Amino acid sequence: MVQNSEIPETKRRGRPRAYDPQAALLRAMDAFWEKGYSGTSLDDISAATGMNRPSLYAAFGDKRALYLKALEHYWDVALSTLRADLAEDQPLAESLMRAYEGALSIYFSGDGRPRGCFVVGTAVTEAVEDAEIRDSLAAGFLKFDADFAARLATAQRKGELAKDADPAALAALATGMMHTIAIRARTGASRDDLREFARMGISAICRR
């Protein structure tokens, strides 16, 4: 009996995949990031990825399914960046500033113009009508809050925060600052101005 591994290529069904799924996902995410979910057509995605509609459907499903994959990927990148930047081997203020610098590196990663946060720029408006996107936002924000709260609680145990400080409340403030910086980046605030904004917020959080 001929094993599957011995079947000549000419007898295999279909064509070998001629694209990199991860690269295609990133290009599709860029398209959504530029125009938003509703403003991005399948033709835009095809142009960005170099894939025709049948190939897109076969690889990712419909436009909404592709967007949800892009949103999931963004959360993974944003959260891993935050966790790396909130390293506990640095003083609290330095760790927080690293976190905001990491966010700024994402918000200013467009070609010559700031594009802000993928979540804030594309998902917030869709969350009103789409429960799955709304749930993704809620879960992602809670993870941000939890990571900030854990870092702040560690700082409190080390005496970097007042004993009566509320790490959970300060974490919500820290996450809210992240959103505000993203919005201000999208509206034209300079990177230097946003760094100063972050420093003022950090000063308020770290006040003892």
Side-chain angles (χ1 to χ4, degrees), residues 71 75 79 119 123-124 127 130-146 175 179:
L71 181 59
W75 277 127
L79 286 163
V119 170
V124 171
D130 191 309
E132 192 168 358
I133 293 176
R134 186 165 60 249
D135 290 345
S136 175
L137 290 184
F141 293 154
L142 285 175
K143 289 176 182 177
F144 264 73
D145 289 347
T175 300
H179 302 158

Side-chain angles (χ1 to χ4, degrees), residues 42-58:
L42 281 174
D43 287 339
D44 292 328
I45 298 170
S46 292
T49 60
M51 299 168 64
N52 58 31
R53 290 193 182 198
S55 295
L56 285 170
Y57 284 125

Side-chain angles (χ1 to χ4, degrees), residues 152-191:
L152 291 163
T154 297
Q156 188 176 44
R157 290 192 295 272
K158 292 181 177 180
E160 293 184 276
L161 286 179
K163 291 181 180 180
D164 61 351
D166 184 343
L170 292 175
L173 174 60
T175 300
M177 281 177 52
M178 195 80 78
H179 302 158
T180 300
I181 289 171
I183 293 168
R184 292 187 180 211
R186 195 75 179 258
T187 58
S190 72
R191 196 163 182 165

Side-chain angles (χ1 to χ4, degrees), residues 30-37 104 107-108 113-123 179-190 194:
D30 284 341
F32 286 125
W33 210 333
E34 181 178 356
K35 295 185 177 181
Y37 175 77
L104 286 169
Y107 302 160
F108 283 83
R113 59 179 179 175
R115 54 184 181 175
C117 170
F118 182 79
V119 170
V120 173
T122 68
H179 302 158
T180 300
I181 289 171
I183 293 168
R184 292 187 180 211
R186 195 75 179 258
T187 58
S190 72
L194 293 174

Side-chain angles (χ1 to χ4, degrees), residues 12 19 34 36 41 48 54 59 68 80 103 118 124 148 176 195 202 207:
R12 293 183 186 271
Y19 64 90
E34 181 178 356
S41 67
L68 288 171
S80 64
F118 182 79
V124 171
F148 274 121
R195 284 194 184 101
I202 291 168
R207 184 176 300 160

